[in-house]
Amino acid sequence: MLLPNILLTGTPGVGKTTLGKELAARSGLKYVNVGDLAQEGQLYDGYDEEYDCPILDEDRVVDELENQMSEGGVIIDYHGCDFFPERWFHIVFVLKTDNSILYKRLETRGYNEKKLKDNVQCEIFQILYEEALASYSEDIVHQLPSDKPEDLENNINQILKWIEQWTKDHSS
């Protein structure tokens, strides 16, 4: 494996997709949005009426990604992380956004009241950070602020430096 695999996770609306696409453009790594992948391949297991969204078939997603993940050089973007194999990732970044900023972002997306409230609560209680810590080795899980454009630029630069160092450390 010549390039690392990176997981970007966090509550919907924290900026995973913006960060992931920009990071892929600047690093040459391949970007995969799991929501888009599931939609393209219809990797669903029913529909959640309460949240008005399809239910991800996690096993089929893992099967779909297995080959590219074993080759390396992939950035995965998804709001959940506990079903991905631990061996896949060299580093995990959990994006964190101020609740009032997050609320506005999700409101702009047209989320219903329950979905809005639950996602903001998820952020308040750091559910996805806890999920990442429970799913992966603590030393590879890092939180990144994602409130303003400067945070995006700082995060990209920090991750690019990490990729560069990882690549140096793992070249024969």
Side-chain angles (χ1 to χ4, degrees), residues 134-154:
S135 303
Y136 304 98
S137 172
E138 249 179 71
D139 57 329
I140 71 161
V141 177
H142 306 275
Q143 270 193 313
L144 297 174
S146 185
D147 294 328
K148 48 193 186 295
E150 306 87 90
D151 291 337
L152 175 64
E153 202 51 44
N154 292 339

Side-chain angles (χ1 to χ4, degrees), residues 91-162:
I91 197 157
V92 176
F93 294 105
V94 183
L95 274 59
K96 185 166 175 40
T97 300
D98 178 83
N99 304 323
S100 58
I101 295 169
L102 182 63
Y103 188 91
K104 288 181 187 119
R105 288 180 188 171
L106 297 178
E107 206 174 31
T108 305
R109 291 184 178 188
Y111 278 30
N112 67 41
E113 195 56 39
K114 176 169 179 42
K115 203 169 172 180
L116 253 172
K117 205 169 74 180
D118 287 356
N119 277 298
V120 171
Q121 277 184 340
C122 186
E123 187 67 1
I124 291 168
F125 295 118
Q126 298 190 34
I127 303 296
L128 290 158
Y129 180 59
E130 294 298 325
E131 184 180 295
L133 289 173
S135 303
Y136 304 98
S137 172
E138 249 179 71
D139 57 329
I140 71 161
V141 177
H142 306 275
Q143 270 193 313
L144 297 174
S146 185
D147 294 328
K148 48 193 186 295
E150 306 87 90
D151 291 337
L152 175 64
E153 202 51 44
N154 292 339
N155 292 340
I156 290 167
N157 291 330
Q158 187 179 335
I159 297 170
L160 287 172
K161 280 186 190 131
W162 180 87

Side-chain angles (χ1 to χ4, degrees), residues 5 12 14 25 45 49 60 68 74 78-79 87-88 97 100 110 121 124 141 145 153 155 161:
N5 289 328
V14 294
D45 189 24
E49 299 295 337
R60 285 176 63 207
Q68 358 181 13
V74 182
Y78 195 60
H79 57 261
R87 63 182 151 69
W88 276 8
T97 300
S100 58
Q121 277 184 340
I124 291 168
V141 177
E153 202 51 44
N155 292 340
K161 280 186 190 131

